[in-house]
Amino acid sequence: MARAAAFPPSRSSPTLPLLPLLLLLLREIGAQDVQVRVPPEVRGYLGGTVQLPCHLLPPGPEVRVSQVTWLHVDAAGTSKSVAAFHPSYGPSFRGPKPGEERLSFVTAGQSTGTRQGTEIELRDATLALRGLTVEDEGNYTCEFATFPSGTSRGVTWLRAIAQPQNHAETQEVTLSLEPMPVARCVSEGGRPPARISWVSSLDGEGRQSQMSGPVPGTFTVTSRYTLVPLSRVDGVKVTCKVEHESFEEPILLPVTLSVRYPPEVSISGYDDNWYLGRSEATLSCDVRSKPEPTGYDWSTTAGVFPASAVAQGPQLIIHSVDKLVNTTFICTVTNAVGTGRAEQVVLVRDTPRASPRDVGPVVWGAVGGTLLVLLLLAGGSLAFILLRVRRRRKSPGGGGGGDSSGGGPYDPKTQVFGNGGPVFWTPTAPGPLKPEGKDEEDEEDEEEKAEEGLMLPPPKALEDDMESQLDGSLISRRAIYV
Ligand SMILES: *[C@@H]1O[C@H](CO)[C@@H](O)[C@H](O)[C@H]1NC(C)=O
Ligand SMILES: *[C@@H]1O[C@H](CO)[C@@H](O)[C@H](O)[C@H]1NC(C)=O
């Protein structure tokens, strides 16, 4: 076989003794009229077969090819010949890795055979390389030695690439105020390394690390989506985006985040119209938590639990409202992560409320607009003063986010009032007459509820503080319009 023929170490080898001389001569004549055409870059998959095209132009018979040589320049700049084709002697190879017959000429010598002594018209020197490895990468020079035009060459950059395998998964975490990874996206065995990014409405960041992949020359990239895992992060979908030149389009991998958090509790059902003798009043303990609550506990700040109240899981049913119900109810909820609680101030009236929201203005109007204005002014200033006093009291210990000794951004007030709200805040006086006033309060409540998301079970010191806040609660919106 011609392939087994000894490979000439260089062009000046004894097999072609006249060639250097010939080339010198040709260079003087000028070798502008032939051209070697190669692609500037060829990519092949690691382990696969790749072709390095090389054609001599023009293809006509007026040029005679003495020899074709392929040279490989590796990343270190070392150049060596790997394949040659002689019109009479046929092909000869010395692969990038010795001992491996991974090279072949794709068309040269195929049509007319490679018997010694028969000259072949060499125009297509396309080289095939099987079992591509990282070491095969580099620049390959295809060199045509011709008569009478001389030597022409073209250079192709061969790159070995590998398509990565990708997967993404959630990493369940427990509520924390420190950033931590909540999802992981891995692109394994890519060459070059894949680019990973995250598509999300949350303000997390991808933290990336890279190591070598399972096949030499490949890379495994891992990106961990990291953020502060608050309860609102639970259930949010984020998408890992993997980009690689072997993909036509980026790969999108959706992940649903999972955060375990202690119960976030509020109480509903109090309609500000509980009066002596009213039947079937109910408070409901509304909970968001992960995992599901394991227990509900109802109690009162007074310590005495009214006999007329019956706790049924998240519900507190009062069959008949009596004086003992005139207290603050606490719902404490526990799950595997922790405990949360909410309180509801219940004001028991002697008689049902005469729905002041509707009747009030009419009555007042009958009495006289002047009186109303005066009252509004008086009430407004009172509320303003109270607010100032309250604010001053609030500010020193106020729940600033960075207060680590106080147990984080925890506002005891929210816990005290549950969804009842800190309600003496009535800027333009009789709350019921001014729907805007109510709205503002609701907004405040909403904000507080949002803050509640950050809460961990209250430290002891704060619970004490809550007691003192309770007194303040008696000056409530409800009290004003009774
Ligand atoms: C191949 O050549 C190109 C420019 O011609 C260069 O940018 C590249 O780095 C070379 N590759 C190697 C592996 O030497
Ligand atoms: C409930 O308590 C408040 C004070 O905490 C009091 O003003 C009100 O009269 C009480 N209601 C009843 C029915 O005792």
Side-chain angles (χ1 to χ4, degrees):
M1 274 297 286
R3 231 205 212 160
F7 185 81
S10 78
R11 270 177 283 135
S12 59
S13 100
T15 25
L16 300 162
L18 293 175
L19 198 56
L21 189 61
L22 204 61
L23 289 175
L24 276 174
L25 286 168
L26 291 173
R27 209 162 279 159
E28 272 166 28
I29 294 164
Q32 260 68 45
D33 49 349
V34 292
Q35 189 186 346
V36 172
R37 177 165 293 174
V38 296
E41 184 184 303
V42 168
R43 292 182 300 178
Y45 282 107
L46 274 180
T49 297
V50 66
Q51 289 196 359
L52 300 172
C54 177
H55 296 272
L56 184 71
L57 298 176
E62 57 279 1
V63 176
R64 298 215 26 212
V65 174
S66 328
Q67 175 164 323
V68 175
T69 310
W70 276 97
L71 295 145
H72 173 221
V73 185
D74 64 18
T78 316
S79 171
K80 60 177 181 177
S81 53
V82 292
F85 200 101
H86 188 273
S88 304
Y89 304 126
S92 168
F93 301 100
R94 186 163 65 186
K97 272 186 176 172
E100 288 180 27
E101 299 225 338
R102 299 186 295 130
L103 295 167
S104 60
F105 283 97
V106 175
T107 54
Q110 301 292 313
S111 48
T112 45
T114 55
R115 276 176 300 121
Q116 283 206 345
T118 312
E119 293 230 337
I120 298 161
E121 279 289 305
L122 257 182
R123 292 293 181 273
D124 180 353
T126 300
L127 189 70
L129 172 57
R130 288 191 308 277
L132 184 63
T133 67
V134 176
E135 291 81 54
D136 296 333
E137 274 194 335
N139 284 313
Y140 286 78
T141 306
C142 175
E143 200 169 81
F144 273 85
T146 66
F147 181 87
S149 304
T151 301
S152 291
R153 48 179 75 88
V155 180
T156 292
W157 185 5
L158 174 63
R159 294 175 52 220
I161 65 170
Q163 193 169 63
Q165 300 291 313
N166 316 292
H167 65 272
E169 72 225 352
T170 182
Q171 295 192 288
E172 190 177 79
V173 295
T174 299
L175 181 119
S176 158
L177 297 177
E178 295 297 320
M180 55 177 64
V182 292
R184 200 167 75 110
C185 188
V186 182
S187 178
E188 189 179 2
R191 179 180 176 91
R195 287 181 307 281
I196 299 182
S197 54
W198 293 88
V199 184
S200 165
S201 56
L202 302 169
D203 55 354
E205 56 164 358
R207 295 192 180 162
Q208 203 148 308
S209 63
Q210 184 176 310
M211 52 184 217
S212 48
V215 173
T218 64
F219 303 91
T220 295
V221 182
T222 302
S223 178
R224 290 182 171 80
Y225 190 64
T226 303
L227 47 64
V228 176
L230 303 180
S231 63
R232 67 184 169 86
V233 167
D234 182 57
V236 173
K237 283 193 173 64
V238 300
T239 302
C240 171
K241 183 174 167 189
V242 185
E243 290 170 283
H244 194 264
E245 60 180 272
S246 63
F247 304 147
E248 268 177 31
E249 285 181 356
I251 304 262
L252 301 176
L253 301 163
V255 178
T256 303
L257 303 181
S258 177
V259 177
R260 289 153 51 92
Y261 58 96
E264 291 174 4
V265 187
S266 61
I267 295 175
S268 63
Y270 179 62
D271 61 359
D272 193 24
N273 189 20
W274 288 26
Y275 48 88
L276 289 174
R278 175 174 166 172
S279 61
E280 302 307 333
T282 303
L283 292 182
S284 293
C285 197
D286 307 319
V287 182
R288 287 180 66 237
S289 87
K290 186 167 185 171
E292 288 299 301
T294 50
Y296 295 84
D297 179 62
W298 286 95
S299 56
T300 64
T301 48
V304 186
F305 199 74
S308 52
V310 179
Q312 281 181 5
Q315 296 219 307
L316 185 73
I317 298 158
I318 293 108
H319 292 297
S320 177
V321 173
D322 56 27
K323 278 193 177 172
L324 277 176
V325 175
N326 200 17
T327 182
T328 300
F329 286 96
I330 307 166
C331 177
T332 308
V333 186
T334 306
N335 75 351
V337 180
T339 298
R341 55 187 236 156
E343 302 191 8
Q344 175 67 56
V345 178
V346 169
L347 181 78
V348 174
R349 303 159 183 279
D350 290 320
T351 54
R353 181 165 57 117
S355 59
R357 274 161 219 267
D358 312 320
V359 180
V362 181
V363 175
W364 285 95
V367 170
T370 324
L371 185 58
L372 173 62
V373 168
L374 281 175
L375 277 168
L376 280 170
L377 285 173
S381 11
L382 177 64
F384 182 71
I385 290 161
L386 282 173
L387 184 68
R388 290 293 291 263
V389 170
R390 166 102 171 186
R391 281 224 171 122
R392 208 165 297 152
R393 231 201 304 168
K394 227 170 118 179
S395 47
D403 186 6
S404 55
S405 59
Y410 174 80
D411 186 351
K413 188 179 57 177
T414 317
Q415 288 285 340
V416 171
F417 291 98
N419 64 343
V423 275
F424 71 93
W425 152 247
T426 46
T428 43
L433 303 182
K434 290 271 178 181
E436 316 91 85
K438 170 104 175 61
D439 285 348
E440 275 179 49
E441 277 178 21
D442 284 352
E443 268 172 42
E444 204 180 19
D445 285 356
E446 287 307 315
E447 281 168 22
E448 282 165 3
K449 276 184 192 162
E451 280 173 30
E452 243 176 323
L454 288 161
M455 273 180 228
L456 294 169
K460 262 276 168 281
L462 286 168
E463 283 186 37
D464 293 342
D465 203 36
M466 285 155 66
E467 291 299 321
S468 63
Q469 292 280 342
L470 264 176
D471 304 337
S473 74
L474 295 175
I475 315 162
S476 72
R477 171 179 54 176
R478 280 115 202 173
I480 283 175
Y481 59 69
V482 160

